[in-house]
Amino acid sequence: DAMANEGGCAIVLSAILSTALLRRGDGALFRSRWSIAKSVGAALGAALVFFMGAGVLLRVQQASGVAGLDEMLGAIGTTYGWGAVFVLAAIVAPTMEEFLFRSVLLDSLGAWMPFALANIAQASLFAAAHFDLSRWPFLFALGLLCGAIRRRAAGLLPAILLHAINNTVATLVLMQQPW
């Protein structure tokens, strides 16, 4: 159907953009002051704290029956398979969104305003870019947390991992729904 086709186009465009980002040799994409082990540990710890705090919001959202992104991912899953959803949600989206919001946007805004304001601005834009008002507080908090982790680590890897963990858990929950 149309929603699955739009999702399929999003997968293809995301793959092309991801390839372009990785081919240009941007060493800052995975560079960090932290070791891989510390980056993974920080991402897992932040994800645990974040999910505990966001649990109430998710229950309210699920009870309201609001969909949108869920429907699109469900359509992609039934049309192209859940493997495509995982690649898109757990690898492509976190890498691209962290690069765009926590590298390009946060660095650009941070050049002419204090970090706290730049982080609030990029987190607001990140949440708005998902076009899901019911999840805006959750997405805003994720954006703030990823921005703070990115600054503290001086690299994107921990933020990408946190974002990937978030999207993987959300996809696993989504897969439990009947389509």
Side-chain angles (χ1 to χ4, degrees), residues 106 109-110 112-124 144:
L106 186 57
L109 293 171
W112 59 275
M113 67 175 59
F115 172 78
L117 292 177
N119 199 27
I120 289 169
Q122 69 79 21
S124 297
L144 282 178

Side-chain angles (χ1 to χ4, degrees), residues 94-147:
T95 302
M96 290 182 59
E97 290 177 356
E98 291 308 313
F99 180 76
L100 176 64
F101 290 99
R102 261 60 81 184
S103 185
V104 174
L105 190 58
L106 186 57
D107 288 349
S108 298
L109 293 171
W112 59 275
M113 67 175 59
F115 172 78
L117 292 177
N119 199 27
I120 289 169
Q122 69 79 21
S124 297
L125 292 170
F126 170 73
H130 286 81
F131 301 106
D132 191 342
L133 193 57
S134 68
R135 291 185 183 149
W136 196 93
F138 177 83
L139 293 165
F140 176 74
L142 179 63
L144 282 178
L145 183 58
C146 285

Side-chain angles (χ1 to χ4, degrees), residues 26-64:
D26 187 357
L29 188 61
F30 296 107
R31 186 181 64 223
S32 176
R33 264 189 290 206
W34 294 352
S35 68
I36 296 288
K38 186 172 181 178
S39 295
V40 170
L44 288 172
L48 178 64
V49 171
F50 186 70
F51 283 127
M52 289 185 333
V56 172
L57 179 65
L58 287 175
R59 286 193 186 113
V60 169
Q61 186 275 327
Q62 288 173 347
S64 70

